[in-house]
Amino acid sequence: GQSLEQPSEVTAVEGAIVQINCTYQTSGFYGLSWYQQHDGGAPTFLSYNALDGLEETGRFSSFLSRSDSYGYLLLQELQMKDSASYFCAVRDLERGGKLIFGQGTELSVKP
Amino acid sequence: DTGVSQDPRHKITKRGQNVTFRCDPISEHNRLYWYRQTLGQGPEFLTYFQNEAQLEKSRLLSDRFSAERPKGSFSTLEIQRTEQGDSAMYLCASSLDQGSYGYTFGSGTRLTVV
């Protein structure tokens, strides 16, 4: 089976940098994804890492270490609008490749 | 394309009633997924379709739940004899094949069973 662990909540101030960690256990691995969800909104895709290393997309970066079964999402120059829940997700390779999501990290950005 | 649409946005029903939700995916996407989300939790997989074929149904899903995607386009999720524990946000998502470049989610249907 698959399981993911991420912190339940993180607080940071505007303009700061925050890192949201995710560790996973899977029977097979095919990439780590990150999604953002604002209160009452739909989860939206942020990034996907299939290989080790850092992927940068604007203020957001995502890192993967397959040997450590670990990844993180890095948010720079935090803005109030970044307050949201962030989910890491892996594929369930045994059964069709659907995404399995972590419990989510609630990020609160303070002024 | 306006993305994934779900209808209704909110549904309040009495325990024991049947409810049906609709999802219209992105037209080019051949895969459609249903997830359920409760407060403070991540989306929990329910079932998915590739075109019109339902390829997997979660073991967590009781026989009261059924989903269809009759022509490989829109999908419906029906819950029979609703229970209070069914109260949740029901999310639909679509992707092209396995969705290596992400799923597109709809805004969900919030179900409240009273």
Side-chain angles (χ1 to χ4, degrees), chain A residues 30 35 37 40-43 45 48 87 91-92 95-104, chain B residues 9 31 35 37 40-43 45 48 56 59 91 98-103 105-107:
Chain A
Y30 198 71
Y35 285 75
Q37 186 179 32
F45 174 73
Y48 171 68
F87 299 92
R91 294 274 187 80
D92 178 4
R95 305 191 69 179
K98 66 184 183 291
L99 285 179
I100 304 296
F101 288 84
Q103 301 282 66
Chain B
R9 288 296 309 275
R31 285 204 175 188
Y35 283 82
Q37 187 177 30
Q41 302 295 312
F45 172 77
Y48 87 94
E56 187 183 349
R59 284 168 285 184
L91 294 165
Q98 292 193 359
S100 297
Y101 298 98
Y103 290 0
F105 279 87
S107 296

Coordinates of all heavy atoms in Angstrom, one line a residue, chain A residues 30 35 37 40-43 45 48 87 91-92 95-104, chain B residues 9 31 35 37 40-43 45 48 56 59 91 98-103 105-107:
Chain A
Y30 N 6.3 6.3 -8.7 CA 6.1 6.9 -10.0 C 5.9 8.4 -9.9 O 5.0 8.9 -10.5 CB 5.0 6.2 -10.8 CG 5.1 6.5 -12.3 CD1 6.2 5.9 -13.1 CD2 4.2 7.3 -13.0 CE1 6.3 6.1 -14.4 CE2 4.3 7.5 -14.3 CZ 5.3 6.9 -15.1 OH 5.4 7.1 -16.4
Y35 N -0.3 19.6 -4.6 CA -1.5 20.3 -4.9 C -1.8 21.3 -3.9 O -1.5 21.1 -2.7 CB -2.7 19.3 -5.0 CG -2.8 18.5 -6.3 CD1 -1.9 17.4 -6.4 CD2 -3.6 18.8 -7.3 CE1 -1.9 16.6 -7.6 CE2 -3.6 18.0 -8.5 CZ -2.8 17.0 -8.6 OH -2.8 16.2 -9.7
Q37 N -4.9 23.8 -2.2 CA -6.3 23.9 -2.1 C -6.7 25.1 -1.1 O -6.3 25.0 0.1 CB -7.0 22.6 -1.6 CG -8.5 22.7 -1.6 CD -9.1 21.4 -1.1 OE1 -8.5 20.6 -0.3 NE2 -10.3 21.0 -1.6
G40 N -12.7 26.0 0.6 CA -13.8 26.0 -0.2 C -13.6 25.8 -1.7 O -14.5 25.8 -2.5
G41 N -12.3 25.7 -2.0 CA -11.9 25.6 -3.4 C -11.5 24.2 -3.9 O -11.5 23.3 -3.1
A42 N -11.2 24.1 -5.2 CA -10.8 22.8 -5.7 C -9.3 22.7 -5.5 O -8.5 23.7 -5.6 CB -11.1 22.8 -7.2
P43 N -8.8 21.5 -5.3 CA -7.3 21.3 -5.4 C -6.8 21.6 -6.7 O -7.4 21.3 -7.8 CB -7.2 19.8 -5.1 CG -8.4 19.4 -4.4 CD -9.5 20.2 -5.0
F45 N -3.3 21.6 -9.2 CA -1.9 21.0 -9.4 C -0.9 22.1 -9.4 O -0.9 23.1 -10.0 CB -1.9 20.3 -10.8 CG -0.6 19.8 -11.2 CD1 -0.1 18.6 -10.6 CD2 0.1 20.4 -12.2 CE1 1.1 18.1 -11.0 CE2 1.3 19.8 -12.6 CZ 1.8 18.7 -12.0
Y48 N 5.2 18.3 -10.2 CA 5.4 16.9 -10.3 C 6.8 16.6 -10.4 O 7.5 17.2 -11.2 CB 4.6 16.4 -11.5 CG 4.9 14.9 -11.8 CD1 4.4 13.9 -11.0 CD2 5.5 14.6 -13.0 CE1 4.7 12.6 -11.3 CE2 5.8 13.3 -13.3 CZ 5.3 12.3 -12.5 OH 5.6 11.0 -12.8
F87 N -1.1 19.5 -0.4 CA -1.1 18.1 -0.3 C -0.1 17.5 -1.2 O 0.1 17.9 -2.4 CB -2.5 17.5 -0.9 CG -3.7 18.0 0.0 CD1 -4.4 19.1 -0.4 CD2 -4.1 17.3 1.1 CE1 -5.5 19.6 0.3 CE2 -5.2 17.7 1.8 CZ -5.9 18.9 1.5
R91 N 1.4 8.0 -6.8 CA 0.6 7.1 -7.7 C 0.5 5.7 -7.0 O 1.4 5.2 -6.4 CB 1.3 6.8 -9.0 CG 1.3 8.0 -9.9 CD 0.1 8.2 -10.7 NE 0.3 9.3 -11.6 CZ 0.9 9.2 -12.7 NH1 1.4 8.0 -13.1 NH2 1.1 10.2 -13.5
D92 N -0.7 5.2 -7.1 CA -0.9 3.8 -6.6 C -0.7 2.9 -7.8 O -1.6 2.6 -8.6 CB -2.4 3.6 -6.2 CG -2.7 2.2 -5.7 OD1 -1.8 1.4 -5.7 OD2 -3.9 2.0 -5.4
R95 N -2.7 -0.5 -8.8 CA -4.1 -0.5 -9.3 C -4.3 0.8 -10.1 O -5.0 1.7 -9.7 CB -5.0 -0.6 -8.1 CG -4.7 -1.8 -7.2 CD -5.8 -2.1 -6.2 NE -7.0 -2.5 -6.9 CZ -8.2 -2.8 -6.3 NH1 -8.2 -2.7 -5.0 NH2 -9.2 -3.2 -7.0
G96 N -3.8 0.8 -11.3 CA -4.2 1.8 -12.3 C -3.6 3.1 -12.2 O -3.8 4.0 -13.1
G97 N -2.7 3.4 -11.2 CA -2.0 4.6 -11.2 C -2.7 5.8 -10.6 O -2.3 7.0 -10.8
K98 N -3.8 5.6 -9.9 CA -4.6 6.8 -9.4 C -3.7 7.4 -8.3 O -2.8 6.8 -7.7 CB -5.9 6.3 -8.8 CG -5.7 5.4 -7.6 CD -7.0 4.9 -7.1 CE -6.8 4.1 -5.8 NZ -6.1 2.8 -6.1
L99 N -4.0 8.7 -8.0 CA -3.3 9.4 -7.0 C -3.8 9.1 -5.6 O -5.0 9.0 -5.4 CB -3.4 10.9 -7.2 CG -2.6 11.5 -8.3 CD1 -2.8 13.0 -8.5 CD2 -1.1 11.3 -8.1
I100 N -2.9 8.9 -4.7 CA -3.2 8.8 -3.2 C -2.6 10.1 -2.6 O -1.4 10.4 -2.7 CB -2.5 7.6 -2.6 CG1 -3.0 6.3 -3.4 CG2 -2.9 7.5 -1.2 CD1 -4.4 6.0 -3.3
F101 N -3.5 10.8 -1.8 CA -3.1 12.0 -1.2 C -2.7 11.9 0.2 O -3.3 11.1 1.0 CB -4.3 13.0 -1.3 CG -4.5 13.5 -2.7 CD1 -5.3 12.8 -3.6 CD2 -4.0 14.7 -3.2 CE1 -5.5 13.2 -4.9 CE2 -4.2 15.2 -4.4 CZ -4.9 14.4 -5.3
G102 N -1.8 12.8 0.7 CA -1.5 12.9 2.1 C -2.6 13.7 2.8 O -3.6 14.1 2.1
Q103 N -2.5 13.8 4.1 CA -3.5 14.5 4.9 C -3.6 16.0 4.7 O -4.5 16.6 5.1 CB -3.3 14.1 6.4 CG -3.4 12.7 6.7 CD -4.8 12.1 6.7 OE1 -5.5 12.1 5.7 NE2 -5.2 11.7 7.9
G104 N -2.5 16.5 4.2 CA -2.5 18.0 3.9 C -1.8 18.7 5.0 O -1.8 18.4 6.2
Chain B
R9 N -23.5 22.5 -6.4 CA -22.4 22.8 -5.5 C -22.6 22.4 -4.1 O -21.7 22.1 -3.4 CB -22.2 24.4 -5.6 CG -21.6 24.9 -6.9 CD -20.2 24.3 -7.1 NE -19.2 24.5 -6.0 CZ -18.5 25.6 -5.8 NH1 -18.6 26.6 -6.6 NH2 -17.7 25.6 -4.7
R31 N -9.7 10.1 -18.6 CA -9.9 9.6 -17.2 C -10.7 10.5 -16.3 O -10.5 11.7 -16.4 CB -8.5 9.3 -16.6 CG -7.9 8.0 -17.2 CD -6.9 7.5 -16.2 NE -6.3 6.2 -16.7 CZ -5.5 5.4 -16.0 NH1 -5.2 5.7 -14.7 NH2 -5.1 4.3 -16.5
Y35 N -13.4 11.6 -5.8 CA -12.8 11.5 -4.5 C -13.8 12.1 -3.5 O -14.7 12.9 -3.8 CB -11.5 12.4 -4.5 CG -10.3 11.8 -5.1 CD1 -10.2 11.8 -6.5 CD2 -9.3 11.2 -4.4 CE1 -9.0 11.3 -7.1 CE2 -8.2 10.6 -5.0 CZ -8.1 10.7 -6.3 OH -7.0 10.1 -6.9
Q37 N -13.8 14.2 0.3 CA -12.9 14.9 1.3 C -13.7 15.4 2.5 O -14.7 16.0 2.3 CB -12.2 16.1 0.5 CG -11.2 16.8 1.4 CD -10.5 17.9 0.6 OE1 -11.1 18.5 -0.3 NE2 -9.2 18.1 0.9
G40 N -10.3 18.9 7.0 CA -8.9 18.7 7.5 C -8.2 17.4 7.0 O -7.2 17.1 7.5
Q41 N -8.8 16.8 6.0 CA -8.3 15.6 5.4 C -8.0 15.8 4.0 O -8.5 16.7 3.3 CB -9.2 14.4 5.6 CG -9.6 14.1 7.0 CD -8.5 13.7 7.9 OE1 -7.7 12.8 7.5 NE2 -8.3 14.3 9.0
G42 N -7.1 14.9 3.4 CA -6.9 14.9 2.0 C -7.9 14.2 1.2 O -8.7 13.5 1.8
P43 N -8.0 14.4 -0.1 CA -9.0 13.7 -0.9 C -8.8 12.2 -0.8 O -7.7 11.7 -0.9 CB -8.7 14.2 -2.3 CG -8.1 15.6 -2.1 CD -7.2 15.4 -0.9
F45 N -9.8 8.5 -2.4 CA -10.2 7.9 -3.6 C -11.5 7.1 -3.5 O -11.6 6.3 -2.5 CB -9.1 7.1 -4.2 CG -9.5 6.2 -5.4 CD1 -9.6 6.8 -6.6 CD2 -9.8 4.9 -5.3 CE1 -10.0 6.1 -7.7 CE2 -10.2 4.1 -6.4 CZ -10.3 4.7 -7.6
Y48 N -12.7 5.4 -10.3 CA -12.3 6.1 -11.5 C -12.7 5.3 -12.8 O -12.9 4.1 -12.8 CB -10.8 6.5 -11.5 CG -9.9 5.4 -12.0 CD1 -9.4 5.4 -13.4 CD2 -9.3 4.5 -11.2 CE1 -8.5 4.5 -13.8 CE2 -8.4 3.5 -11.7 CZ -8.0 3.6 -13.0 OH -7.1 2.7 -13.4
E56 N -11.8 0.9 -11.4 CA -11.6 0.6 -10.0 C -12.6 1.3 -9.1 O -13.0 2.4 -9.3 CB -10.2 1.0 -9.6 CG -9.8 0.5 -8.1 CD -8.4 1.0 -7.7 OE1 -7.7 1.5 -8.5 OE2 -8.1 0.9 -6.5
R59 N -12.4 -0.1 -1.9 CA -13.0 -1.0 -1.0 C -13.7 -0.3 0.2 O -14.6 -0.9 0.8 CB -11.9 -1.9 -0.3 CG -11.3 -2.9 -1.3 CD -10.1 -3.6 -0.8 NE -8.9 -2.7 -1.0 CZ -7.7 -3.0 -0.7 NH1 -7.4 -4.2 -0.2 NH2 -6.7 -2.1 -0.9
L91 N -15.5 15.3 -4.7 CA -14.7 16.0 -5.7 C -14.6 15.1 -7.0 O -14.4 13.9 -6.9 CB -13.3 16.3 -5.2 CG -13.1 17.3 -4.1 CD1 -11.8 17.2 -3.5 CD2 -13.4 18.7 -4.6
Q98 N -2.8 8.8 -17.4 CA -2.6 8.7 -16.0 C -2.4 10.0 -15.3 O -2.2 10.1 -14.1 CB -1.4 7.8 -15.7 CG -1.7 6.3 -16.1 CD -0.7 5.4 -15.5 OE1 0.3 5.7 -14.9 NE2 -0.9 4.1 -15.8
G99 N -2.4 11.1 -16.1 CA -2.3 12.4 -15.4 C -0.9 12.7 -14.9 O -0.8 13.3 -13.8
S100 N 0.1 12.4 -15.6 CA 1.4 12.7 -15.2 C 1.6 14.2 -15.0 O 2.4 14.6 -14.1 CB 2.5 12.2 -16.2 OG 2.4 10.8 -16.4
Y101 N 0.9 15.0 -15.7 CA 1.0 16.4 -15.5 C -0.2 17.0 -14.8 O -0.5 18.2 -14.9 CB 1.2 17.1 -16.9 CG 2.5 16.5 -17.5 CD1 2.5 15.5 -18.4 CD2 3.7 17.0 -17.0 CE1 3.7 15.0 -18.9 CE2 4.9 16.5 -17.5 CZ 4.9 15.5 -18.4 OH 6.1 15.0 -18.9
G102 N -0.8 16.2 -14.0 CA -1.7 16.7 -13.0 C -3.2 16.4 -13.3 O -3.5 16.2 -14.5
Y103 N -3.9 16.3 -12.3 CA -5.4 16.2 -12.4 C -6.0 17.6 -12.4 O -5.4 18.4 -11.7 CB -6.0 15.4 -11.2 CG -5.7 14.0 -11.1 CD1 -4.9 13.3 -12.0 CD2 -6.2 13.2 -10.0 CE1 -4.7 11.9 -11.9 CE2 -6.0 11.9 -9.9 CZ -5.2 11.2 -10.8 OH -5.0 9.9 -10.6
F105 N -9.2 19.3 -11.0 CA -10.4 19.0 -10.1 C -11.5 20.1 -10.4 O -11.2 21.2 -10.7 CB -9.9 19.2 -8.6 CG -9.3 18.0 -8.1 CD1 -7.9 17.8 -8.2 CD2 -10.0 17.0 -7.4 CE1 -7.3 16.7 -7.7 CE2 -9.4 15.9 -6.9 CZ -8.0 15.7 -7.0
G106 N -12.7 19.6 -10.1 CA -13.8 20.5 -10.0 C -13.9 21.1 -8.6 O -13.2 20.7 -7.8
S107 N -14.9 22.0 -8.5 CA -15.0 22.7 -7.2 C -15.7 21.9 -6.1 O -15.8 22.2 -5.0 CB -15.7 24.0 -7.4 OG -14.9 24.9 -8.2

